PDB file of all heavy atoms in Angstrom:
ATOM      1  N   VAL A  13     -24.469 -32.859 -17.123  1.00 98.00           N
ATOM      2  CA  VAL A  13     -23.887 -32.447 -15.848  1.00 98.00           C
ATOM      3  C   VAL A  13     -22.365 -32.467 -15.981  1.00 98.00           C
ATOM      4  O   VAL A  13     -21.780 -33.421 -16.484  1.00 98.00           O
ATOM      5  CB  VAL A  13     -24.339 -33.383 -14.708  1.00 98.00           C
ATOM      6  CG1 VAL A  13     -23.530 -33.134 -13.440  1.00 98.00           C
ATOM      7  CG2 VAL A  13     -25.832 -33.193 -14.444  1.00 98.00           C
ATOM      8  N   VAL A  14     -21.735 -31.387 -15.524  1.00 98.00           N
ATOM      9  CA  VAL A  14     -20.278 -31.297 -15.580  1.00 98.00           C
ATOM     10  C   VAL A  14     -19.747 -30.999 -14.180  1.00 98.00           C
ATOM     11  O   VAL A  14     -20.068 -29.959 -13.592  1.00 98.00           O
ATOM     12  CB  VAL A  14     -19.797 -30.206 -16.553  1.00 98.00           C
ATOM     13  CG1 VAL A  14     -18.259 -30.231 -16.650  1.00 98.00           C
ATOM     14  CG2 VAL A  14     -20.422 -30.378 -17.928  1.00 98.00           C
ATOM     15  N   ASN A  15     -18.958 -31.916 -13.648  1.00 98.00           N
ATOM     16  CA  ASN A  15     -18.185 -31.677 -12.439  1.00 98.00           C
ATOM     17  C   ASN A  15     -16.708 -31.545 -12.818  1.00 98.00           C
ATOM     18  O   ASN A  15     -16.351 -31.631 -13.991  1.00 98.00           O
ATOM     19  CB  ASN A  15     -18.406 -32.805 -11.427  1.00 98.00           C
ATOM     20  CG  ASN A  15     -19.743 -32.673 -10.710  1.00 98.00           C
ATOM     21  OD1 ASN A  15     -20.132 -31.584 -10.289  1.00 98.00           O
ATOM     22  ND2 ASN A  15     -20.455 -33.790 -10.579  1.00 98.00           N
ATOM     23  N   ASP A  16     -15.858 -31.345 -11.833  1.00 98.00           N
ATOM     24  CA  ASP A  16     -14.446 -31.116 -12.146  1.00 98.00           C
ATOM     25  C   ASP A  16     -13.749 -32.366 -12.661  1.00 98.00           C
ATOM     26  O   ASP A  16     -12.681 -32.281 -13.269  1.00 98.00           O
ATOM     27  CB  ASP A  16     -13.715 -30.575 -10.931  1.00 98.00           C
ATOM     28  CG  ASP A  16     -13.608 -31.597  -9.808  1.00 98.00           C
ATOM     29  OD1 ASP A  16     -14.624 -32.244  -9.494  1.00 98.00           O
ATOM     30  OD2 ASP A  16     -12.508 -31.747  -9.236  1.00 98.00           O
ATOM     31  N   ASP A  17     -14.353 -33.548 -12.434  1.00 98.00           N
ATOM     32  CA  ASP A  17     -13.695 -34.796 -12.788  1.00 98.00           C
ATOM     33  C   ASP A  17     -14.478 -35.663 -13.762  1.00 98.00           C
ATOM     34  O   ASP A  17     -13.979 -36.703 -14.202  1.00 98.00           O
ATOM     35  CB  ASP A  17     -13.410 -35.617 -11.529  1.00 98.00           C
ATOM     36  CG  ASP A  17     -14.672 -35.889 -10.708  1.00 98.00           C
ATOM     37  OD1 ASP A  17     -15.743 -35.328 -11.034  1.00 98.00           O
ATOM     38  OD2 ASP A  17     -14.586 -36.662  -9.735  1.00 98.00           O
ATOM     39  N   ILE A  18     -15.705 -35.254 -14.125  1.00 98.00           N
ATOM     40  CA  ILE A  18     -16.532 -36.109 -14.978  1.00 98.00           C
ATOM     41  C   ILE A  18     -17.679 -35.288 -15.553  1.00 98.00           C
ATOM     42  O   ILE A  18     -18.136 -34.316 -14.948  1.00 98.00           O
ATOM     43  CB  ILE A  18     -17.088 -37.312 -14.173  1.00 98.00           C
ATOM     44  CG1 ILE A  18     -17.687 -38.355 -15.089  1.00 98.00           C
ATOM     45  CG2 ILE A  18     -18.082 -36.844 -13.115  1.00 98.00           C
ATOM     46  CD1 ILE A  18     -18.037 -39.657 -14.382  1.00 98.00           C
ATOM     47  N   SER A  19     -18.141 -35.687 -16.733  1.00 98.00           N
ATOM     48  CA  SER A  19     -19.363 -35.107 -17.312  1.00 98.00           C
ATOM     49  C   SER A  19     -20.232 -36.243 -17.832  1.00 98.00           C
ATOM     50  O   SER A  19     -19.722 -37.260 -18.317  1.00 98.00           O
ATOM     51  CB  SER A  19     -19.022 -34.120 -18.435  1.00 98.00           C
ATOM     52  OG  SER A  19     -18.366 -34.765 -19.508  1.00 98.00           O
ATOM     53  N   PHE A  20     -21.553 -36.067 -17.735  1.00 98.00           N
ATOM     54  CA  PHE A  20     -22.459 -37.141 -18.122  1.00 98.00           C
ATOM     55  C   PHE A  20     -23.863 -36.572 -18.313  1.00 98.00           C
ATOM     56  O   PHE A  20     -24.235 -35.567 -17.692  1.00 98.00           O
ATOM     57  CB  PHE A  20     -22.483 -38.241 -17.057  1.00 98.00           C
ATOM     58  CG  PHE A  20     -22.753 -37.743 -15.656  1.00 98.00           C
ATOM     59  CD1 PHE A  20     -24.042 -37.739 -15.124  1.00 98.00           C
ATOM     60  CD2 PHE A  20     -21.711 -37.260 -14.867  1.00 98.00           C
ATOM     61  CE1 PHE A  20     -24.284 -37.279 -13.847  1.00 98.00           C
ATOM     62  CE2 PHE A  20     -21.948 -36.796 -13.578  1.00 98.00           C
ATOM     63  CZ  PHE A  20     -23.235 -36.798 -13.063  1.00 98.00           C
ATOM     64  N   ILE A  55     -23.828 -27.019 -14.569  1.00 99.00           N
ATOM     65  CA  ILE A  55     -22.561 -26.890 -13.857  1.00 99.00           C
ATOM     66  C   ILE A  55     -22.770 -26.300 -12.461  1.00 99.00           C
ATOM     67  O   ILE A  55     -23.776 -25.621 -12.201  1.00 99.00           O
ATOM     68  CB  ILE A  55     -21.562 -26.010 -14.639  1.00 99.00           C
ATOM     69  CG1 ILE A  55     -22.088 -24.575 -14.788  1.00 99.00           C
ATOM     70  CG2 ILE A  55     -21.270 -26.624 -16.003  1.00 99.00           C
ATOM     71  CD1 ILE A  55     -21.111 -23.621 -15.473  1.00 99.00           C
ATOM     72  N   PRO A  56     -21.827 -26.544 -11.541  1.00 98.00           N
ATOM     73  CA  PRO A  56     -21.916 -25.894 -10.228  1.00 98.00           C
ATOM     74  C   PRO A  56     -21.806 -24.376 -10.387  1.00 98.00           C
ATOM     75  O   PRO A  56     -21.056 -23.876 -11.236  1.00 98.00           O
ATOM     76  CB  PRO A  56     -20.701 -26.451  -9.475  1.00 98.00           C
ATOM     77  CG  PRO A  56     -20.284 -27.677 -10.214  1.00 98.00           C
ATOM     78  CD  PRO A  56     -20.654 -27.437 -11.644  1.00 98.00           C
ATOM     79  N   ASP A 365     -10.550 -27.861 -21.108  1.00 98.00           N
ATOM     80  CA  ASP A 365     -11.743 -28.684 -21.282  1.00 98.00           C
ATOM     81  C   ASP A 365     -12.828 -28.263 -20.292  1.00 98.00           C
ATOM     82  O   ASP A 365     -12.592 -27.461 -19.384  1.00 98.00           O
ATOM     83  CB  ASP A 365     -11.426 -30.177 -21.185  1.00 98.00           C
ATOM     84  CG  ASP A 365     -10.969 -30.624 -19.806  1.00 98.00           C
ATOM     85  OD1 ASP A 365     -11.449 -30.066 -18.800  1.00 98.00           O
ATOM     86  OD2 ASP A 365     -10.139 -31.534 -19.725  1.00 98.00           O
ATOM     87  N   ILE A 366     -14.024 -28.823 -20.460  1.00 98.00           N
ATOM     88  CA  ILE A 366     -15.164 -28.348 -19.679  1.00 98.00           C
ATOM     89  C   ILE A 366     -15.039 -28.720 -18.198  1.00 98.00           C
ATOM     90  O   ILE A 366     -15.502 -27.976 -17.329  1.00 98.00           O
ATOM     91  CB  ILE A 366     -16.497 -28.835 -20.266  1.00 98.00           C
ATOM     92  CG1 ILE A 366     -16.562 -30.358 -20.342  1.00 98.00           C
ATOM     93  CG2 ILE A 366     -16.724 -28.211 -21.633  1.00 98.00           C
ATOM     94  CD1 ILE A 366     -17.903 -30.904 -20.850  1.00 98.00           C
ATOM     95  N   CYS A 367     -14.422 -29.856 -17.905  1.00 98.00           N
ATOM     96  CA  CYS A 367     -14.245 -30.225 -16.500  1.00 98.00           C
ATOM     97  C   CYS A 367     -13.264 -29.274 -15.808  1.00 98.00           C
ATOM     98  O   CYS A 367     -13.463 -28.892 -14.653  1.00 98.00           O
ATOM     99  CB  CYS A 367     -13.763 -31.664 -16.379  1.00 98.00           C
ATOM    100  SG  CYS A 367     -15.021 -32.902 -16.788  1.00 98.00           S
ATOM    101  N   ARG A 368     -12.209 -28.912 -16.532  1.00 98.00           N
ATOM    102  CA  ARG A 368     -11.251 -27.967 -15.951  1.00 98.00           C
ATOM    103  C   ARG A 368     -11.894 -26.598 -15.757  1.00 98.00           C
ATOM    104  O   ARG A 368     -11.605 -25.905 -14.778  1.00 98.00           O
ATOM    105  CB  ARG A 368     -10.012 -27.859 -16.848  1.00 98.00           C
ATOM    106  CG  ARG A 368      -8.902 -26.970 -16.288  1.00 98.00           C
ATOM    107  CD  ARG A 368      -8.335 -27.511 -14.991  1.00 98.00           C
ATOM    108  NE  ARG A 368      -7.337 -26.605 -14.432  1.00 98.00           N
ATOM    109  CZ  ARG A 368      -6.818 -26.721 -13.212  1.00 98.00           C
ATOM    110  NH1 ARG A 368      -7.196 -27.718 -12.423  1.00 98.00           N
ATOM    111  NH2 ARG A 368      -5.924 -25.859 -12.774  1.00 98.00           N
ATOM    112  N   PHE A 369     -12.777 -26.207 -16.661  1.00 98.00           N
ATOM    113  CA  PHE A 369     -13.511 -24.949 -16.493  1.00 98.00           C
ATOM    114  C   PHE A 369     -14.279 -24.943 -15.173  1.00 98.00           C
ATOM    115  O   PHE A 369     -14.241 -23.968 -14.420  1.00 98.00           O
ATOM    116  CB  PHE A 369     -14.477 -24.741 -17.666  1.00 98.00           C
ATOM    117  CG  PHE A 369     -15.417 -23.577 -17.497  1.00 98.00           C
ATOM    118  CD1 PHE A 369     -14.975 -22.278 -17.674  1.00 98.00           C
ATOM    119  CD2 PHE A 369     -16.743 -23.787 -17.142  1.00 98.00           C
ATOM    120  CE1 PHE A 369     -15.843 -21.193 -17.512  1.00 98.00           C
ATOM    121  CE2 PHE A 369     -17.615 -22.729 -16.982  1.00 98.00           C
ATOM    122  CZ  PHE A 369     -17.162 -21.423 -17.158  1.00 98.00           C
ATOM    123  N   VAL A 370     -14.971 -26.032 -14.886  1.00 98.00           N
ATOM    124  CA  VAL A 370     -15.696 -26.137 -13.615  1.00 98.00           C
ATOM    125  C   VAL A 370     -14.728 -26.086 -12.437  1.00 98.00           C
ATOM    126  O   VAL A 370     -14.992 -25.431 -11.422  1.00 98.00           O
ATOM    127  CB  VAL A 370     -16.539 -27.424 -13.592  1.00 98.00           C
ATOM    128  CG1 VAL A 370     -17.043 -27.729 -12.184  1.00 98.00           C
ATOM    129  CG2 VAL A 370     -17.708 -27.304 -14.558  1.00 98.00           C
ATOM    130  N   ALA A 371     -13.580 -26.746 -12.585  1.00 98.00           N
ATOM    131  CA  ALA A 371     -12.594 -26.740 -11.503  1.00 98.00           C
ATOM    132  C   ALA A 371     -12.117 -25.334 -11.188  1.00 98.00           C
ATOM    133  O   ALA A 371     -12.071 -24.930 -10.019  1.00 98.00           O
ATOM    134  CB  ALA A 371     -11.405 -27.629 -11.870  1.00 98.00           C
ATOM    135  N   VAL A 372     -11.758 -24.560 -12.208  1.00 98.00           N
ATOM    136  CA  VAL A 372     -11.114 -23.264 -11.956  1.00 98.00           C
ATOM    137  C   VAL A 372     -12.108 -22.145 -11.652  1.00 98.00           C
ATOM    138  O   VAL A 372     -11.717 -21.088 -11.147  1.00 98.00           O
ATOM    139  CB  VAL A 372     -10.204 -22.859 -13.132  1.00 98.00           C
ATOM    140  CG1 VAL A 372      -9.144 -23.917 -13.379  1.00 98.00           C
ATOM    141  CG2 VAL A 372     -10.992 -22.553 -14.403  1.00 98.00           C
ATOM    142  N   THR A 373     -13.389 -22.368 -11.954  1.00 98.00           N
ATOM    143  CA  THR A 373     -14.383 -21.342 -11.640  1.00 98.00           C
ATOM    144  C   THR A 373     -15.198 -21.647 -10.394  1.00 98.00           C
ATOM    145  O   THR A 373     -15.895 -20.768  -9.885  1.00 98.00           O
ATOM    146  CB  THR A 373     -15.361 -21.139 -12.815  1.00 98.00           C
ATOM    147  OG1 THR A 373     -16.005 -22.392 -13.114  1.00 98.00           O
ATOM    148  CG2 THR A 373     -14.645 -20.609 -14.047  1.00 98.00           C
ATOM    149  N   SER A 374     -15.096 -22.902  -9.876  1.00 98.00           N
ATOM    150  CA  SER A 374     -15.954 -23.269  -8.755  1.00 98.00           C
ATOM    151  C   SER A 374     -15.325 -24.295  -7.817  1.00 98.00           C
ATOM    152  O   SER A 374     -15.078 -24.010  -6.645  1.00 98.00           O
ATOM    153  CB  SER A 374     -17.294 -23.823  -9.285  1.00 98.00           C
ATOM    154  OG  SER A 374     -18.160 -24.181  -8.243  1.00 98.00           O
ATOM    155  N   THR A 375     -15.038 -25.499  -8.326  1.00 98.00           N
ATOM    156  CA  THR A 375     -14.699 -26.617  -7.455  1.00 98.00           C
ATOM    157  C   THR A 375     -13.411 -26.403  -6.675  1.00 98.00           C
ATOM    158  O   THR A 375     -13.347 -26.684  -5.473  1.00 98.00           O
ATOM    159  CB  THR A 375     -14.594 -27.920  -8.273  1.00 98.00           C
ATOM    160  OG1 THR A 375     -15.795 -28.088  -9.026  1.00 98.00           O
ATOM    161  CG2 THR A 375     -14.392 -29.112  -7.354  1.00 98.00           C
ATOM    162  N   ASN A 376     -12.366 -25.921  -7.331  1.00 98.00           N
ATOM    163  CA  ASN A 376     -11.106 -25.730  -6.617  1.00 98.00           C
ATOM    164  C   ASN A 376     -11.229 -24.694  -5.517  1.00 98.00           C
ATOM    165  O   ASN A 376     -10.604 -24.813  -4.457  1.00 98.00           O
ATOM    166  CB  ASN A 376      -9.991 -25.362  -7.593  1.00 98.00           C
ATOM    167  CG  ASN A 376      -9.534 -26.548  -8.417  1.00 98.00           C
ATOM    168  OD1 ASN A 376      -9.956 -27.682  -8.180  1.00 98.00           O
ATOM    169  ND2 ASN A 376      -8.680 -26.304  -9.397  1.00 98.00           N
ATOM    170  N   LYS A 379     -12.795 -26.467  -2.638  1.00 98.00           N
ATOM    171  CA  LYS A 379     -11.846 -27.353  -1.976  1.00 98.00           C
ATOM    172  C   LYS A 379     -10.827 -26.570  -1.152  1.00 98.00           C
ATOM    173  O   LYS A 379     -10.563 -26.899   0.017  1.00 98.00           O
ATOM    174  CB  LYS A 379     -11.132 -28.216  -3.019  1.00 98.00           C
ATOM    175  CG  LYS A 379     -12.020 -29.273  -3.661  1.00 98.00           C
ATOM    176  CD  LYS A 379     -11.256 -30.072  -4.711  1.00 98.00           C
ATOM    177  CE  LYS A 379     -12.121 -31.166  -5.323  1.00 98.00           C
ATOM    178  NZ  LYS A 379     -11.394 -31.937  -6.363  1.00 98.00           N
ATOM    179  N   TYR A 384     -16.152 -27.809   0.235  1.00 98.00           N
ATOM    180  CA  TYR A 384     -16.469 -28.919  -0.662  1.00 98.00           C
ATOM    181  C   TYR A 384     -16.862 -30.155   0.146  1.00 98.00           C
ATOM    182  O   TYR A 384     -16.238 -30.431   1.168  1.00 98.00           O
ATOM    183  CB  TYR A 384     -15.236 -29.234  -1.513  1.00 98.00           C
ATOM    184  CG  TYR A 384     -15.423 -30.295  -2.553  1.00 98.00           C
ATOM    185  CD1 TYR A 384     -15.968 -29.982  -3.794  1.00 98.00           C
ATOM    186  CD2 TYR A 384     -15.050 -31.614  -2.301  1.00 98.00           C
ATOM    187  CE1 TYR A 384     -16.132 -30.971  -4.758  1.00 98.00           C
ATOM    188  CE2 TYR A 384     -15.209 -32.590  -3.272  1.00 98.00           C
ATOM    189  CZ  TYR A 384     -15.755 -32.265  -4.487  1.00 98.00           C
ATOM    190  OH  TYR A 384     -15.924 -33.232  -5.439  1.00 98.00           O
ATOM    191  N   LYS A 387     -20.307 -26.931  -1.600  1.00 98.00           N
ATOM    192  CA  LYS A 387     -20.240 -26.077  -2.779  1.00 98.00           C
ATOM    193  C   LYS A 387     -19.334 -26.743  -3.816  1.00 98.00           C
ATOM    194  O   LYS A 387     -18.518 -27.607  -3.503  1.00 98.00           O
ATOM    195  CB  LYS A 387     -19.669 -24.704  -2.415  1.00 98.00           C
ATOM    196  CG  LYS A 387     -20.437 -23.944  -1.344  1.00 98.00           C
ATOM    197  CD  LYS A 387     -21.781 -23.464  -1.845  1.00 98.00           C
ATOM    198  CE  LYS A 387     -22.477 -22.580  -0.814  1.00 98.00           C
ATOM    199  NZ  LYS A 387     -23.836 -22.181  -1.279  1.00 98.00           N
ATOM    200  N   GLY A 388     -19.482 -26.331  -5.066  1.00 98.00           N
ATOM    201  CA  GLY A 388     -18.547 -26.732  -6.099  1.00 98.00           C
ATOM    202  C   GLY A 388     -18.782 -28.090  -6.728  1.00 98.00           C
ATOM    203  O   GLY A 388     -17.931 -28.574  -7.480  1.00 98.00           O
ATOM    204  N   ARG A 389     -19.914 -28.721  -6.448  1.00 98.00           N
ATOM    205  CA  ARG A 389     -20.180 -30.034  -7.040  1.00 98.00           C
ATOM    206  C   ARG A 389     -21.682 -30.248  -7.229  1.00 98.00           C
ATOM    207  O   ARG A 389     -22.486 -29.800  -6.401  1.00 98.00           O
ATOM    208  CB  ARG A 389     -19.621 -31.160  -6.186  1.00 98.00           C
ATOM    209  CG  ARG A 389     -19.660 -32.516  -6.896  1.00 98.00           C
ATOM    210  CD  ARG A 389     -18.717 -33.522  -6.310  1.00 98.00           C
ATOM    211  NE  ARG A 389     -18.640 -34.738  -7.129  1.00 98.00           N
ATOM    212  CZ  ARG A 389     -17.779 -34.931  -8.112  1.00 98.00           C
ATOM    213  NH1 ARG A 389     -16.910 -33.979  -8.410  1.00 98.00           N
ATOM    214  NH2 ARG A 389     -17.769 -36.049  -8.803  1.00 98.00           N
ATOM    215  N   ILE A 390     -22.018 -30.929  -8.304  1.00 98.00           N
ATOM    216  CA  ILE A 390     -23.396 -31.368  -8.518  1.00 98.00           C
ATOM    217  C   ILE A 390     -23.471 -32.823  -8.096  1.00 98.00           C
ATOM    218  O   ILE A 390     -23.009 -33.732  -8.797  1.00 98.00           O
ATOM    219  CB  ILE A 390     -23.813 -31.170  -9.983  1.00 98.00           C
ATOM    220  CG1 ILE A 390     -23.819 -29.674 -10.294  1.00 98.00           C
ATOM    221  CG2 ILE A 390     -25.186 -31.788 -10.232  1.00 98.00           C
ATOM    222  CD1 ILE A 390     -24.268 -29.319 -11.682  1.00 98.00           C
ATOM    223  N   HIS A 466      -7.559 -30.459   1.980  1.00 96.00           N
ATOM    224  CA  HIS A 466      -7.010 -30.171   0.653  1.00 96.00           C
ATOM    225  C   HIS A 466      -5.768 -29.293   0.750  1.00 96.00           C
ATOM    226  O   HIS A 466      -4.879 -29.366  -0.103  1.00 96.00           O
ATOM    227  CB  HIS A 466      -8.071 -29.489  -0.209  1.00 96.00           C
ATOM    228  CG  HIS A 466      -7.666 -29.286  -1.635  1.00 96.00           C
ATOM    229  ND1 HIS A 466      -7.673 -30.296  -2.560  1.00 96.00           N
ATOM    230  CD2 HIS A 466      -7.211 -28.184  -2.293  1.00 96.00           C
ATOM    231  CE1 HIS A 466      -7.260 -29.842  -3.731  1.00 96.00           C
ATOM    232  NE2 HIS A 466      -6.970 -28.558  -3.594  1.00 96.00           N
TER     233      HIS A 466
END
Side-chain angles (χ1 to χ4, degrees):
V13 169
V14 184
N15 283 316
D16 68 314
D17 56 353
I18 192 170
S19 63
F20 52 95
I55 63 176
D365 66 34
I366 58 177
C367 289
R368 184 63 184 170
F369 172 76
V370 167
V372 302
T373 58
S374 180
T375 307
N376 286 353
K379 289 179 178 179
Y384 184 84
K387 302 290 186 184
R389 190 160 188 90
I390 295 183
H466 186 77

